[in-house]
Amino acid sequence: MSSYEPYHPSSAPRRLVRTRADKMVGGVCGGFAAYLGIDSNLLRILLVAAVVLGFGTPAIAYLVAWALMPQA
């Protein structure tokens, strides 16, 4: 008998999706955090700080991502 085993990667490719488990509003920050491998609270703090400091683009980008990212 042959001990040949076909190669199967151990992990599936990562997908950018909104999370259900780590969500506060729409799951966008949780999804980005899981994709990047960082803490979701850090992304939330950065997003809120950017919006408060006068950069309105992150708020619009969040809404667009909420509409376009599939739910996990």
Side-chain angles (χ1 to χ4, degrees), residues 2-70:
S2 173
S3 64
Y4 173 73
E5 293 279 332
Y7 173 73
H8 295 290
S10 61
S11 63
R14 296 185 304 175
R15 291 183 51 213
L16 182 58
V17 294
R18 292 185 291 137
T19 62
R20 290 182 184 187
D22 187 17
K23 107 181 202 181
M24 293 195 98
V25 177
V28 174
C29 288
F32 271 112
Y35 184 78
L36 297 172
I38 60 175
D39 186 36
S40 60
N41 290 324
L42 175 65
L43 282 180
R44 289 182 184 112
I45 290 170
L46 291 174
L47 179 69
V48 170
V51 171
V52 168
L53 292 174
F55 307 113
T57 306
I60 295 168
Y62 186 91
L63 293 174
V64 169
W66 192 354
L68 296 179
M69 285 173 63

